[in-house]
Amino acid sequence: MPGSLPAGAAVVTGAGRGLGREIAVRLALAGCAAHVTDLVGDLACATAAEINAAGPAILAEGHALDVRDQDACRALAGRVDAADPQGLAIWVNNAGVLATGPVWSQDDATRRLMMEVNALGAMHGTIAALERMRPAGRGRILNIASLAGLAPVPGEGIYATSKHAVVGLSTSALIDLRLAGVKHVHVSCLCPDGMWTPMLFDRLEDPDASMSFSGVLLRTEEIAARALRILARPRAVTAVPAWRGVQARAFGLVPGLAARSAPLVVGLSRVQQKLVARRLRRRTP
């Protein structure tokens, strides 16, 4: 049987554009009080204004939020929880950044940025939400990871490191909750294949990003729809598409074989990347 979204407020990070924006819009249309956050506050407020323009019964608010700041995440969770009669019900950790190249190729600041936004940002949001949800005995947290969180990814090693951390955080937190006897607070992790979002818009000619084009290039609408289904009926880890999740896990099970087959895999991914680029250019007037 299909589940339902919990009543109350929903926070979505990195929701000024892309997947986060699409998730926030859908949550608001489903009846949640949507709190749209982004590092760029103007983007968050613009998204909230567009949501509210859809009808008089829809309520959304935009907030500037740097997910690298635990205190800021905690303060937002407190304000949202206190302001809504039903409290904080949903928190979606979506904010993320991507830089490509071999693990030694980025500067220290870039590596640190990916780890702080992708991994620490998810941890900060999860902890801030749990501090409100655990006492209430209810709530749902969704962490947006990636197939890169399930397998090694040539050319995106630091990004993959950060997303492995997100998967580990999500599954470990869920187990901790159950061991503590908390049954109705859920932590889920969504691991999509490459998505056509602003994160990839400028990567069509980047050979180090080819693995993001190696499978199914997903649309934000379909992943946002899946996100809402997971929030309505939580499950620990969901890979999209499922067959790519199996493929990613298999690739990660035997690291030696993965290393030996990497030239072939990367070569095929670059062919796929070029095909995607050609197809998209044909669509552009």
Side-chain angles (χ1 to χ4, degrees), residues 38 49 52 57 59 73 75 84-85 93 101 130 144 193 220 234:
D38 200 277
N52 289 326
L59 173 65
C73 292
D84 194 286
N93 288 305
L130 286 176
I144 306 298
D193 207 343
T220 56

Side-chain angles (χ1 to χ4, degrees), residues 10 24 31 38 47 61 86 91 100 106 120 136 142 167 169 176 180 184 188 190-191 223 231 243 247 268 277:
D38 200 277
T47 295
E61 292 184 21
Q86 314 236 27
W91 188 292
T100 60
Q106 295 106 14
L120 280 178
L142 176 61
V167 175
L169 167 72
D176 283 344
H184 300 295
S188 302
L190 176 56
C191 299
I223 298 305
L231 288 167
W243 67 270
Q247 190 179 67
L268 291 173

Side-chain angles (χ1 to χ4, degrees), residues 36-107:
V36 182
T37 81
D38 200 277
L39 179 63
V40 181
D42 288 347
L43 286 177
C45 291
T47 295
E50 290 176 23
I51 291 171
N52 289 326
I58 294 175
L59 173 65
E61 292 184 21
H63 309 268
L65 178 67
D66 185 344
V67 298
R68 295 170 293 180
D69 186 339
Q70 177 72 86
D71 289 339
C73 292
R74 188 174 278 132
L76 178 64
R79 291 198 306 272
V80 169
D81 189 52
D84 194 286
Q86 314 236 27
L88 175 63
I90 292 170
W91 188 292
V92 181
N93 288 305
N94 168 76
V97 295
L98 168 67
T100 60
V103 296
W104 60 82
S105 64
Q106 295 106 14
D107 58 37

Side-chain angles (χ1 to χ4, degrees), residues 13 29 35 54 66 97 99 104 109 118 135 179 192 200 205 226 228 250 255:
T13 71
L29 293 176
H35 291 265
D66 185 344
V97 295
W104 60 82
N118 299 351
L179 287 174
L200 287 185
E205 306 297 334
R226 179 62 65 91
L228 259 68

Side-chain angles (χ1 to χ4, degrees), residues 98-158:
L98 168 67
T100 60
V103 296
W104 60 82
S105 64
Q106 295 106 14
D107 58 37
D108 293 346
T110 300
R111 283 191 290 269
R112 187 178 300 112
L113 177 67
M114 274 191 283
M115 293 303 298
E116 288 182 348
V117 174
N118 299 351
L120 280 178
M123 184 178 75
H124 291 161
T126 297
I127 297 301
L130 286 176
E131 287 175 351
R132 297 291 165 173
M133 293 176 178
R134 284 183 61 241
R138 62 186 286 273
R140 296 175 191 180
I141 298 168
L142 176 61
N143 291 326
I144 306 298
S146 165
L147 286 186
L150 303 175
V153 185
E156 298 179 8
I158 304 301

